[in-house]
Amino acid sequence: MKFLYFLVLFSSMAFAQNQYPKDYFRLPLEIPMQLSGNFGELRPNHFHAGFDFKTNQVEGLKVFASADGYVSRIKISTAGYGKAIYITHSNGYTTVYGHLQKAMGIIQDKIIELQYQNKSYEVEAYFKLGELPIKKGEIIALSGNTGGSEGPHLHFEFRDSKTEKIINPLFFGLDLKDDRDPIVSNVLVYPIDNTSIANESKRPIVLSLSLQKDGSYLAEKVLATGKIGFGISDVDFDDVSYNPNGTYKTQLISNGKTIFGYEFNEMVFDEARYVNALIDYSRYKKTHQRVQKLFMKQPYNWSNISQNVDNGIINVAPNFSSIQRIEVSDYFQNKTVINIPVAYSNKKAIVNEEIKPTPYFVKAKVEANFEKDNVSVLFPAGTFYDDFYLNFDVKNDIVYLHEDVVPAHANFTITIEDPKSSAEDRKKMFIASLYGNKWNYNTTKVVGNAFVCKTKTLGQFKLVKDTVAPKITIAKSIENKWLTGVKNIQLIIADDSSGVKTYNGYLNDKWVLFEYEPKTKKITHTFDDALLLEGQNKLKVVVTDNVGNSTIFETQFFRSQKK
């Protein structure tokens, strides 16, 4: 019977991997594949949706179409994937190329056309079969560092064209060598409720691990009473990338049966935020260590959970004695095993809970509305993953709404009444979030005397007034200078309060494209001879912040178009 179980398990895994074409797609770069991020890796507020290919720490490498197809979507943004191209293929899959420096050929021509049509650097458009055809191996772009990228690399992913599910790129035969077992650096035991105790503690505690002769690990014994769960921190290394990445499959096994497990075969894009439910979010925010919880206090609908019995929670009652087993695997079936002996104990807790009751108790599955002074906060049902006591106060015009140690899955609403400010003042006001010593802008609606914003992050909030216009600077003046032969012009734009909302450039009174890179605060215009005049040219740049303050930069320069 045990043999049959493993045969079925192996067969289903093999089927999942073999249903995808192995020789249809080529790599999008011509350099050897090294990864700075893999599929399913844990990231802030999301699971990573593809592969991040290293580009030797430089931009400008040629990016090739992985197969014949057509460009089905283009998205140019200052956030997320930055400059991104989506190519749909006839076999039912779509490949995505992100953080690009620049598109090439007909794709770049189409992007420029869209930007000038919309008079905006940020554009998004969808295309049909036949509009932008692409051949396998065609250069579609140059690699870059745009959007939410923290360094030069190429983001690459596969999607099912119909369902838009994201698929593990390794299923498509990408050649990556990996003979190394995953590394589990920490195992924690969690008392689940206020009646549970583990090793004389009501708080999560780290278990020591010892390596065994067979290569497995033995955790220190857990003496417990009540409901407990386990958590792990882990990483995986392949043989060529030389940096830690995420693991592929994790299982918690009790009495030979998997009671909690998840794996990264594919992902639903809209479920990416469940990473905050999987990890011990509070611990991550306090220590920057991501511990994956192998249990759920309250179930959440993450599709990647493949096995689940009693939400992964183990009930330790008198006479209970068992070995719990955690298995962590990579795609290539390298595996790390941790055995955890668990037995009942009636010893009392020495370390007590940190929870302090407050008047504001939030039930995750029930809508909650709290008010104090001129502030109200609405949490729709399903905003949070678990129940908790909320710290809520209003002092010196600052709203103290807990702290960012409890993750929100959906937006909640903050409303601040302000009958004292004039109608003119309200136009310049917004609800700001405090991060360190800086107040950050939240999109804010004004309804009568009330200011309303939606956010997914707990913390401190305040009504802030911004009357300071953005700044526009240039490193070296071009006033009345000859710029013949100069390829582009750069300006630095910044706004230290509500932030930059729009940026528009005009050359001889006609709108021209400026590309914006928020990481460097630079906007760049690449000269086009067709838009320039012989001799004197006038340049104007207008930058507006989120509450309507504007700054205008004007200059003139000379250029000869004669060759």
Side-chain angles (χ1 to χ4, degrees):
M1 191 68 183
K2 185 179 289 187
F3 171 77
L4 180 62
Y5 169 78
F6 282 110
L7 180 63
V8 171
L9 180 66
F10 178 80
S11 298
S12 63
M13 183 174 67
F15 173 77
Q17 297 180 12
N18 290 333
Q19 64 180 315
Y20 301 102
K22 295 292 189 293
D23 300 314
Y24 190 89
F25 297 97
R26 60 155 286 172
L27 289 172
L29 297 173
E30 56 189 352
I31 61 173
M33 182 172 69
Q34 290 186 311
L35 302 182
S36 59
N38 68 346
F39 187 76
E41 186 173 276
L42 309 180
R43 298 284 181 87
N45 296 319
H46 69 284
F47 298 103
H48 190 238
F51 276 0
D52 282 346
F53 289 124
K54 294 182 180 181
T55 56
N56 297 331
Q57 300 180 347
V58 299
E59 298 183 42
L61 299 188
K62 295 174 183 177
V63 178
F64 301 89
S66 285
D68 291 355
Y70 69 96
V71 175
S72 54
R73 181 184 180 193
I74 291 171
K75 185 173 183 180
I76 310 297
S77 173
T78 57
Y81 290 170
K83 296 181 180 181
I85 296 170
Y86 299 69
I87 298 178
T88 294
H89 309 280
S90 59
N91 64 346
Y93 301 103
T94 295
T95 49
V96 183
Y97 312 76
H99 305 306
L100 304 171
Q101 182 191 78
K102 180 183 179 181
M104 301 294 284
I106 59 172
I107 307 174
Q108 179 66 7
D109 293 341
K110 177 57 68 173
I111 290 172
I112 296 296
E113 177 187 327
L114 289 167
Q115 290 171 325
Y116 274 88
Q117 282 179 356
N118 292 276
K119 293 185 177 180
S120 172
Y121 168 62
E122 297 191 86
V123 293
E124 183 175 15
Y126 295 83
F127 305 94
K128 297 179 181 179
L129 177 66
E131 291 187 273
L132 292 173
I134 296 294
K135 288 293 185 182
K136 183 176 183 176
E138 183 177 344
I139 300 171
I140 60 169
L142 300 178
S143 67
N145 185 32
T146 55
S149 170
E150 295 181 354
H153 73 279
L154 173 68
H155 177 85
F156 180 69
E157 64 185 62
F158 288 92
R159 296 188 184 185
D160 183 298
S161 299
K162 284 187 177 180
T163 66
E164 295 190 349
K165 284 186 177 180
I166 313 158
I167 305 164
N168 193 326
L170 287 173
F171 287 166
F172 294 89
L174 302 189
D175 186 21
L176 184 69
K177 185 173 176 55
D178 183 356
D179 294 319
R180 306 170 68 176
D181 293 335
I183 297 173
V184 177
S185 55
N186 281 302
V187 175
L188 283 77
V189 59
Y190 285 77
I192 298 299
D193 55 34
N194 57 11
T195 64
S196 303
I197 300 171
N199 289 1
E200 302 180 53
S201 175
K202 289 194 171 186
R203 301 182 192 178
I205 57 171
V206 177
L207 302 175
S208 62
L209 301 175
S210 59
L211 179 63
Q212 305 299 293
K213 290 181 180 180
D214 64 357
S216 67
Y217 290 85
L218 179 65
E220 70 174 284
K221 191 171 187 178
V222 175
L223 300 174
T225 182
K227 296 178 179 179
I228 62 170
F230 292 101
I232 60 169
S233 359
D234 58 23
V235 295
D236 189 41
F237 288 83
D238 60 52
D239 295 351
V240 295
S241 300
Y242 311 112
N243 56 270
N245 288 311
T247 56
Y248 170 66
K249 184 177 183 178
T250 300
Q251 293 177 294
L252 173 61
I253 300 167
S254 182
N255 295 321
K257 184 177 182 179
T258 299
I259 63 170
F260 194 85
Y262 49 91
E263 57 189 320
F264 291 100
N265 294 322
E266 57 185 28
M267 290 191 295
V268 177
F269 199 84
D270 291 342
E271 294 181 359
R273 198 172 178 86
Y274 280 122
V275 68
N276 292 335
L278 176 66
I279 66 171
D280 183 337
Y281 188 85
S282 175
R283 190 180 190 91
Y284 166 63
K285 283 295 178 175
K286 294 173 181 177
T287 67
H288 301 291
Q289 179 191 54
R290 290 187 178 96
V291 173
Q292 301 160 66
K293 296 180 295 183
L294 310 185
F295 64 91
M296 300 182 288
K297 286 187 177 181
Q298 297 193 41
Y300 51 88
N301 296 317
W302 181 39
S303 303
N304 290 65
I305 295 175
S306 52
Q307 295 96 6
N308 178 30
V309 177
D310 295 328
N311 298 332
I313 294 171
I314 300 158
N315 191 11
V316 183
N319 300 318
F320 182 97
S321 180
S322 177
I323 302 292
Q324 309 301 309
R325 181 181 177 94
I326 297 173
E327 295 184 356
V328 180
S329 309
D330 62 24
Y331 173 85
F332 300 94
Q333 300 184 46
N334 303 303
K335 184 186 295 183
T336 296
V337 174
I338 302 103
N339 291 303
I340 311 170
V342 179
Y344 173 78
S345 170
N346 59 4
K347 288 186 178 180
K348 294 184 178 179
I350 297 174
V351 181
N352 290 310
E353 296 176 279
E354 293 181 286
I355 298 172
K356 295 180 180 179
T358 73
Y360 310 99
F361 186 67
V362 178
K363 291 185 177 180
K365 296 182 179 181
V366 179
E367 179 182 292
N369 190 11
F370 302 118
E371 297 182 0
K372 184 168 185 180
D373 298 342
N374 61 327
V375 177
S376 66
V377 184
L378 174 63
F379 299 117
T383 299
F384 301 102
Y385 304 111
D386 294 315
D387 304 344
F388 71 104
Y389 284 101
L390 174 78
N391 292 314
F392 174 42
D393 206 352
V394 182
K395 293 180 181 178
N396 300 320
D397 297 326
I398 297 177
V399 181
Y400 294 88
L401 194 58
H402 212 76
E403 57 181 315
D404 185 19
V405 294
V406 176
H409 189 74
N411 280 320
F412 56 89
T413 303
I414 301 172
T415 302
I416 302 178
E417 298 277 352
D418 180 27
K420 298 179 181 179
S421 297
S422 67
E424 279 303 307
D425 284 343
R426 290 189 200 114
K427 293 178 182 178
K428 302 294 183 182
M429 296 169 67
F430 62 94
I431 298 177
S433 299
L434 177 62
Y435 293 98
N437 295 320
K438 186 177 179 181
W439 293 102
N440 284 4
Y441 176 81
N442 290 304
T443 301
T444 304
K445 290 184 179 180
V446 183
V447 183
N449 295 331
F451 295 83
V452 183
C453 79
K454 293 181 182 295
T455 181
K456 292 178 182 176
T457 307
L458 296 168
Q460 297 178 24
F461 301 87
K462 184 181 181 180
L463 269 181
V464 173
K465 184 178 178 182
D466 178 11
T467 58
V468 180
K471 296 177 182 177
I472 307 175
T473 57
I474 187 168
K476 189 176 181 180
S477 174
I478 61 170
E479 183 78 21
N480 294 322
K481 301 286 180 63
W482 282 89
L483 300 184
T484 303
V486 174
K487 293 182 178 180
N488 56 51
I489 182 173
Q490 284 188 335
L491 301 172
I492 296 175
I493 64 174
D495 188 90
D496 295 331
S497 186
S498 62
V500 172
K501 182 178 182 181
T502 62
Y503 41 93
N504 288 285
Y506 303 88
L507 191 57
N508 302 314
D509 298 323
K510 293 182 179 179
W511 187 91
V512 291
L513 174 66
F514 273 84
E515 297 196 0
Y516 180 35
E517 179 46 74
K519 291 191 289 287
T520 60
K521 300 182 179 180
K522 290 180 179 178
I523 57 172
T524 303
H525 172 67
T526 300
F527 288 123
D528 181 346
D529 288 346
L531 302 174
L532 291 162
L533 301 176
E534 178 69 25
Q536 187 185 71
N537 289 265
K538 294 181 180 179
L539 175 69
K540 180 170 77 171
V541 175
V542 182
V543 179
T544 304
D545 65 21
N546 279 291
V547 294
N549 301 306
S550 292
T551 297
I552 298 175
F553 172 90
E554 293 183 285
T555 190
Q556 62 183 23
F557 60 90
F558 294 88
R559 189 176 175 101
S560 176
Q561 302 298 87
K562 297 177 181 178
K563 297 182 181 179

